[in-house]
mmCIF file of all heavy atoms in Angstrom:
data_model
loop_
_atom_site.group_PDB
_atom_site.id
_atom_site.type_symbol
_atom_site.label_atom_id
_atom_site.label_comp_id
_atom_site.label_asym_id
_atom_site.label_seq_id
_atom_site.Cartn_x
_atom_site.Cartn_y
_atom_site.Cartn_z
ATOM 1 N N SER A 7 8.556 -0.549 20.526
ATOM 2 C CA SER A 7 7.979 0.035 19.318
ATOM 3 C C SER A 7 6.494 -0.283 19.352
ATOM 4 O O SER A 7 6.103 -1.407 19.685
ATOM 5 C CB SER A 7 8.612 -0.575 18.066
ATOM 6 O OG SER A 7 7.894 -0.217 16.908
ATOM 7 N N LEU A 8 5.656 0.685 19.012
ATOM 8 C CA LEU A 8 4.215 0.481 19.111
ATOM 9 C C LEU A 8 3.562 0.387 17.739
ATOM 10 O O LEU A 8 2.443 0.850 17.532
ATOM 11 C CB LEU A 8 3.575 1.596 19.953
ATOM 12 C CG LEU A 8 3.904 1.547 21.439
ATOM 13 C CD1 LEU A 8 3.257 2.703 22.173
ATOM 14 C CD2 LEU A 8 3.471 0.221 22.054
ATOM 15 N N GLY A 9 4.256 -0.218 16.803
ATOM 16 C CA GLY A 9 3.649 -0.474 15.502
ATOM 17 C C GLY A 9 2.847 -1.762 15.530
ATOM 18 O O GLY A 9 3.329 -2.797 15.997
ATOM 19 N N ILE A 10 1.591 -1.699 15.065
ATOM 20 C CA ILE A 10 0.792 -2.908 14.928
ATOM 21 C C ILE A 10 0.731 -3.258 13.448
ATOM 22 O O ILE A 10 0.813 -2.380 12.579
ATOM 23 C CB ILE A 10 -0.622 -2.738 15.516
ATOM 24 C CG1 ILE A 10 -1.407 -1.672 14.768
ATOM 25 C CG2 ILE A 10 -0.554 -2.393 16.982
ATOM 26 C CD1 ILE A 10 -2.836 -1.554 15.218
ATOM 27 N N GLY A 11 0.610 -4.544 13.143
ATOM 28 C CA GLY A 11 0.719 -4.942 11.750
ATOM 29 C C GLY A 11 -0.271 -6.010 11.339
ATOM 30 O O GLY A 11 -0.815 -6.742 12.165
ATOM 31 N N ALA A 12 -0.490 -6.073 10.029
ATOM 32 C CA ALA A 12 -1.228 -7.164 9.395
ATOM 33 C C ALA A 12 -0.334 -7.714 8.298
ATOM 34 O O ALA A 12 0.199 -6.955 7.475
ATOM 35 C CB ALA A 12 -2.550 -6.667 8.814
ATOM 36 N N VAL A 13 -0.145 -9.022 8.299
ATOM 37 C CA VAL A 13 0.732 -9.676 7.340
ATOM 38 C C VAL A 13 -0.114 -10.550 6.424
ATOM 39 O O VAL A 13 -0.763 -11.497 6.882
ATOM 40 C CB VAL A 13 1.798 -10.540 8.047
ATOM 41 C CG1 VAL A 13 2.782 -11.120 7.031
ATOM 42 C CG2 VAL A 13 2.530 -9.735 9.111
ATOM 43 N N ALA A 14 -0.108 -10.229 5.143
ATOM 44 C CA ALA A 14 -0.850 -11.019 4.160
ATOM 45 C C ALA A 14 0.127 -11.899 3.404
ATOM 46 O O ALA A 14 1.131 -11.410 2.866
ATOM 47 C CB ALA A 14 -1.597 -10.105 3.194
ATOM 48 N N VAL A 15 -0.154 -13.193 3.372
ATOM 49 C CA VAL A 15 0.605 -14.125 2.539
ATOM 50 C C VAL A 15 -0.196 -14.324 1.256
ATOM 51 O O VAL A 15 -1.363 -14.710 1.299
ATOM 52 C CB VAL A 15 0.832 -15.462 3.257
ATOM 53 C CG1 VAL A 15 1.597 -16.431 2.357
ATOM 54 C CG2 VAL A 15 1.591 -15.240 4.568
ATOM 55 N N ILE A 16 0.433 -14.038 0.116
ATOM 56 C CA ILE A 16 -0.294 -13.897 -1.144
ATOM 57 C C ILE A 16 0.292 -14.841 -2.183
ATOM 58 O O ILE A 16 1.512 -15.066 -2.229
ATOM 59 C CB ILE A 16 -0.213 -12.431 -1.636
ATOM 60 C CG1 ILE A 16 -0.694 -11.483 -0.512
ATOM 61 C CG2 ILE A 16 -1.040 -12.215 -2.896
ATOM 62 C CD1 ILE A 16 -0.402 -10.029 -0.775
ATOM 63 N N SER A 17 -0.557 -15.398 -3.030
ATOM 64 C CA SER A 17 -0.121 -16.371 -4.034
ATOM 65 C C SER A 17 0.574 -15.687 -5.204
ATOM 66 O O SER A 17 0.360 -14.496 -5.471
ATOM 67 C CB SER A 17 -1.318 -17.165 -4.555
ATOM 68 O OG SER A 17 -2.231 -16.308 -5.217
ATOM 69 N N GLY A 18 1.402 -16.454 -5.912
ATOM 70 C CA GLY A 18 2.042 -15.957 -7.116
ATOM 71 C C GLY A 18 3.209 -15.028 -6.846
ATOM 72 O O GLY A 18 3.807 -15.035 -5.771
ATOM 73 N N ALA A 19 3.518 -14.214 -7.845
ATOM 74 C CA ALA A 19 4.610 -13.251 -7.737
ATOM 75 C C ALA A 19 4.044 -11.858 -7.478
ATOM 76 O O ALA A 19 2.930 -11.550 -7.894
ATOM 77 C CB ALA A 19 5.429 -13.245 -9.031
ATOM 78 N N PRO A 20 4.799 -11.003 -6.793
ATOM 79 C CA PRO A 20 4.299 -9.650 -6.519
ATOM 80 C C PRO A 20 4.259 -8.813 -7.782
ATOM 81 O O PRO A 20 4.910 -9.140 -8.782
ATOM 82 C CB PRO A 20 5.323 -9.096 -5.521
ATOM 83 C CG PRO A 20 6.580 -9.844 -5.803
ATOM 84 C CD PRO A 20 6.151 -11.224 -6.214
ATOM 85 N N PRO A 21 3.501 -7.705 -7.759
ATOM 86 C CA PRO A 21 3.517 -6.788 -8.889
ATOM 87 C C PRO A 21 4.873 -6.099 -8.992
ATOM 88 O O PRO A 21 5.723 -6.237 -8.099
ATOM 89 C CB PRO A 21 2.409 -5.795 -8.547
ATOM 90 C CG PRO A 21 2.370 -5.793 -7.052
ATOM 91 C CD PRO A 21 2.678 -7.214 -6.646
ATOM 92 N N THR A 22 5.084 -5.352 -10.052
ATOM 93 C CA THR A 22 6.310 -4.566 -10.149
ATOM 94 C C THR A 22 6.254 -3.423 -9.147
ATOM 95 O O THR A 22 5.193 -3.065 -8.636
ATOM 96 C CB THR A 22 6.486 -3.996 -11.556
ATOM 97 O OG1 THR A 22 5.437 -3.038 -11.800
ATOM 98 C CG2 THR A 22 6.422 -5.099 -12.603
ATOM 99 N N ARG A 23 7.378 -2.838 -8.896
ATOM 100 C CA ARG A 23 7.428 -1.730 -7.952
ATOM 101 C C ARG A 23 6.602 -0.552 -8.444
ATOM 102 O O ARG A 23 5.911 0.114 -7.656
ATOM 103 C CB ARG A 23 8.880 -1.310 -7.713
ATOM 104 C CG ARG A 23 9.714 -2.444 -7.128
ATOM 105 C CD ARG A 23 11.074 -1.991 -6.692
ATOM 106 N NE ARG A 23 11.839 -3.127 -6.167
ATOM 107 C CZ ARG A 23 12.863 -3.026 -5.341
ATOM 108 N NH1 ARG A 23 13.243 -1.826 -4.923
ATOM 109 N NH2 ARG A 23 13.491 -4.096 -4.921
ATOM 110 N N ALA A 24 6.661 -0.305 -9.736
ATOM 111 C CA ALA A 24 5.889 0.804 -10.306
ATOM 112 C C ALA A 24 4.396 0.545 -10.177
ATOM 113 O O ALA A 24 3.620 1.455 -9.856
ATOM 114 C CB ALA A 24 6.277 1.014 -11.767
ATOM 115 N N GLN A 25 3.970 -0.691 -10.438
ATOM 116 C CA GLN A 25 2.544 -1.028 -10.325
ATOM 117 C C GLN A 25 2.058 -0.865 -8.896
ATOM 118 O O GLN A 25 0.986 -0.297 -8.646
ATOM 119 C CB GLN A 25 2.314 -2.467 -10.801
ATOM 120 C CG GLN A 25 2.462 -2.669 -12.285
ATOM 121 C CD GLN A 25 2.434 -4.142 -12.666
ATOM 122 O OE1 GLN A 25 2.762 -5.022 -11.863
ATOM 123 N NE2 GLN A 25 2.041 -4.427 -13.905
ATOM 124 N N PHE A 26 2.824 -1.364 -7.933
ATOM 125 C CA PHE A 26 2.410 -1.271 -6.539
ATOM 126 C C PHE A 26 2.317 0.190 -6.100
ATOM 127 O O PHE A 26 1.354 0.607 -5.451
ATOM 128 C CB PHE A 26 3.388 -2.032 -5.648
ATOM 129 C CG PHE A 26 2.950 -2.119 -4.209
ATOM 130 C CD1 PHE A 26 2.084 -3.107 -3.791
ATOM 131 C CD2 PHE A 26 3.390 -1.178 -3.276
ATOM 132 C CE1 PHE A 26 1.667 -3.181 -2.463
ATOM 133 C CE2 PHE A 26 2.983 -1.242 -1.953
ATOM 134 C CZ PHE A 26 2.122 -2.244 -1.554
ATOM 135 N N ALA A 27 3.326 0.983 -6.451
ATOM 136 C CA ALA A 27 3.338 2.389 -6.051
ATOM 137 C C ALA A 27 2.185 3.154 -6.687
ATOM 138 O O ALA A 27 1.582 4.030 -6.044
ATOM 139 C CB ALA A 27 4.673 3.022 -6.431
ATOM 140 N N GLU A 28 1.843 2.835 -7.923
ATOM 141 C CA GLU A 28 0.762 3.550 -8.603
ATOM 142 C C GLU A 28 -0.576 3.314 -7.908
ATOM 143 O O GLU A 28 -1.341 4.265 -7.674
ATOM 144 C CB GLU A 28 0.685 3.098 -10.055
ATOM 145 C CG GLU A 28 -0.428 3.771 -10.851
ATOM 146 C CD GLU A 28 -0.518 3.274 -12.286
ATOM 147 O OE1 GLU A 28 0.189 2.299 -12.633
ATOM 148 O OE2 GLU A 28 -1.310 3.851 -13.057
ATOM 149 N N VAL A 29 -0.865 2.067 -7.566
ATOM 150 C CA VAL A 29 -2.131 1.763 -6.898
ATOM 151 C C VAL A 29 -2.152 2.356 -5.495
ATOM 152 O O VAL A 29 -3.158 2.922 -5.057
ATOM 153 C CB VAL A 29 -2.361 0.235 -6.844
ATOM 154 C CG1 VAL A 29 -3.577 -0.102 -5.987
ATOM 155 C CG2 VAL A 29 -2.544 -0.320 -8.255
ATOM 156 N N LEU A 30 -1.038 2.256 -4.776
ATOM 157 C CA LEU A 30 -0.990 2.790 -3.417
ATOM 158 C C LEU A 30 -1.178 4.304 -3.428
ATOM 159 O O LEU A 30 -1.870 4.862 -2.557
ATOM 160 C CB LEU A 30 0.339 2.424 -2.761
ATOM 161 C CG LEU A 30 0.534 2.876 -1.304
ATOM 162 C CD1 LEU A 30 -0.589 2.350 -0.422
ATOM 163 C CD2 LEU A 30 1.885 2.416 -0.781
ATOM 164 N N ALA A 31 -0.606 4.984 -4.418
ATOM 165 C CA ALA A 31 -0.767 6.432 -4.520
ATOM 166 C C ALA A 31 -2.235 6.802 -4.688
ATOM 167 O O ALA A 31 -2.715 7.796 -4.114
ATOM 168 C CB ALA A 31 0.056 6.970 -5.679
ATOM 169 N N GLY A 32 -2.971 5.998 -5.461
ATOM 170 C CA GLY A 32 -4.400 6.248 -5.618
ATOM 171 C C GLY A 32 -5.168 6.079 -4.326
ATOM 172 O O GLY A 32 -6.110 6.835 -4.043
ATOM 173 N N ARG A 33 -4.772 5.115 -3.496
ATOM 174 C CA ARG A 33 -5.443 4.901 -2.222
ATOM 175 C C ARG A 33 -5.194 6.078 -1.263
ATOM 176 O O ARG A 33 -6.052 6.425 -0.457
ATOM 177 C CB ARG A 33 -4.946 3.605 -1.571
ATOM 178 C CG ARG A 33 -5.194 2.343 -2.374
ATOM 179 C CD ARG A 33 -6.664 2.032 -2.519
ATOM 180 N NE ARG A 33 -6.875 0.693 -3.001
ATOM 181 C CZ ARG A 33 -7.141 0.372 -4.262
ATOM 182 N NH1 ARG A 33 -7.256 1.340 -5.177
ATOM 183 N NH2 ARG A 33 -7.309 -0.885 -4.626
ATOM 184 N N LEU A 34 -4.009 6.675 -1.351
ATOM 185 C CA LEU A 34 -3.698 7.785 -0.453
ATOM 186 C C LEU A 34 -4.596 8.982 -0.700
ATOM 187 O O LEU A 34 -4.863 9.776 0.212
ATOM 188 C CB LEU A 34 -2.237 8.205 -0.617
ATOM 189 C CG LEU A 34 -1.170 7.177 -0.244
ATOM 190 C CD1 LEU A 34 0.204 7.802 -0.342
ATOM 191 C CD2 LEU A 34 -1.399 6.627 1.146
ATOM 192 N N ASP A 35 -5.060 9.131 -1.938
ATOM 193 C CA ASP A 35 -5.945 10.252 -2.242
ATOM 194 C C ASP A 35 -7.271 10.147 -1.500
ATOM 195 O O ASP A 35 -7.992 11.131 -1.365
ATOM 196 C CB ASP A 35 -6.203 10.317 -3.755
ATOM 197 C CG ASP A 35 -4.955 10.699 -4.533
ATOM 198 O OD1 ASP A 35 -4.054 11.326 -3.930
ATOM 199 O OD2 ASP A 35 -4.860 10.351 -5.725
ATOM 200 N N GLU A 36 -7.604 8.951 -1.011
ATOM 201 C CA GLU A 36 -8.867 8.719 -0.324
ATOM 202 C C GLU A 36 -8.759 8.945 1.178
ATOM 203 O O GLU A 36 -9.767 8.958 1.872
ATOM 204 C CB GLU A 36 -9.360 7.290 -0.592
ATOM 205 C CG GLU A 36 -9.582 7.007 -2.072
ATOM 206 C CD GLU A 36 -9.693 5.514 -2.341
ATOM 207 O OE1 GLU A 36 -9.547 4.735 -1.375
ATOM 208 O OE2 GLU A 36 -9.928 5.147 -3.496
ATOM 209 N N ASN A 37 -7.539 9.085 1.703
ATOM 210 C CA ASN A 37 -7.381 9.246 3.154
ATOM 211 C C ASN A 37 -6.240 10.208 3.445
ATOM 212 O O ASN A 37 -5.068 9.856 3.355
ATOM 213 C CB ASN A 37 -7.108 7.895 3.814
ATOM 214 C CG ASN A 37 -7.315 7.975 5.321
ATOM 215 O OD1 ASN A 37 -7.164 9.034 5.913
ATOM 216 N ND2 ASN A 37 -7.664 6.862 5.923
ATOM 217 N N ALA A 38 -6.598 11.407 3.797
ATOM 218 C CA ALA A 38 -5.590 12.433 4.058
ATOM 219 C C ALA A 38 -4.695 12.080 5.233
ATOM 220 O O ALA A 38 -3.551 12.540 5.318
ATOM 221 C CB ALA A 38 -6.274 13.775 4.309
ATOM 222 N N ARG A 39 -5.206 11.279 6.185
ATOM 223 C CA ARG A 39 -4.410 10.942 7.378
ATOM 224 C C ARG A 39 -3.083 10.262 6.987
ATOM 225 O O ARG A 39 -2.066 10.433 7.681
ATOM 226 C CB ARG A 39 -5.209 10.031 8.308
ATOM 227 C CG ARG A 39 -4.486 9.626 9.570
ATOM 228 C CD ARG A 39 -4.314 10.808 10.552
ATOM 229 N NE ARG A 39 -5.526 11.015 11.316
ATOM 230 C CZ ARG A 39 -6.188 12.138 11.341
ATOM 231 N NH1 ARG A 39 -5.768 13.179 10.621
ATOM 232 N NH2 ARG A 39 -7.280 12.290 12.056
ATOM 233 N N LEU A 40 -3.073 9.504 5.903
ATOM 234 C CA LEU A 40 -1.873 8.781 5.512
ATOM 235 C C LEU A 40 -0.795 9.717 4.969
ATOM 236 O O LEU A 40 0.348 9.298 4.762
ATOM 237 C CB LEU A 40 -2.217 7.721 4.460
ATOM 238 C CG LEU A 40 -3.169 6.624 4.941
ATOM 239 C CD1 LEU A 40 -3.482 5.656 3.817
ATOM 240 C CD2 LEU A 40 -2.590 5.881 6.142
ATOM 241 N N ARG A 41 -1.143 10.973 4.732
ATOM 242 C CA ARG A 41 -0.169 11.969 4.303
ATOM 243 C C ARG A 41 0.197 12.924 5.441
ATOM 244 O O ARG A 41 0.908 13.898 5.220
ATOM 245 C CB ARG A 41 -0.722 12.790 3.130
ATOM 246 C CG ARG A 41 -0.909 12.004 1.847
ATOM 247 C CD ARG A 41 -1.476 12.898 0.745
ATOM 248 N NE ARG A 41 -1.610 12.193 -0.507
ATOM 249 C CZ ARG A 41 -0.661 12.096 -1.437
ATOM 250 N NH1 ARG A 41 0.504 12.689 -1.229
ATOM 251 N NH2 ARG A 41 -0.862 11.439 -2.554
#
């Protein structure tokens, strides 16, 4: 498999699924390649 990755270890608890998806959706609007 030729997937390369970056793993971030982050403090505290993760956001909710809805919060994470909302922010990620906004980032996709900035880069058409991700779609």
Side-chain angles (χ1 to χ4, degrees):
S7 169
L8 290 179
I10 63 175
V13 185
V15 179
I16 306 168
S17 63
T22 66
R23 299 189 181 202
Q25 289 171 335
F26 187 85
E28 179 182 8
V29 172
L30 182 56
R33 299 294 194 260
L34 296 185
D35 292 337
E36 300 164 357
N37 195 333
R39 180 70 81 237
L40 297 178
R41 293 179 177 271

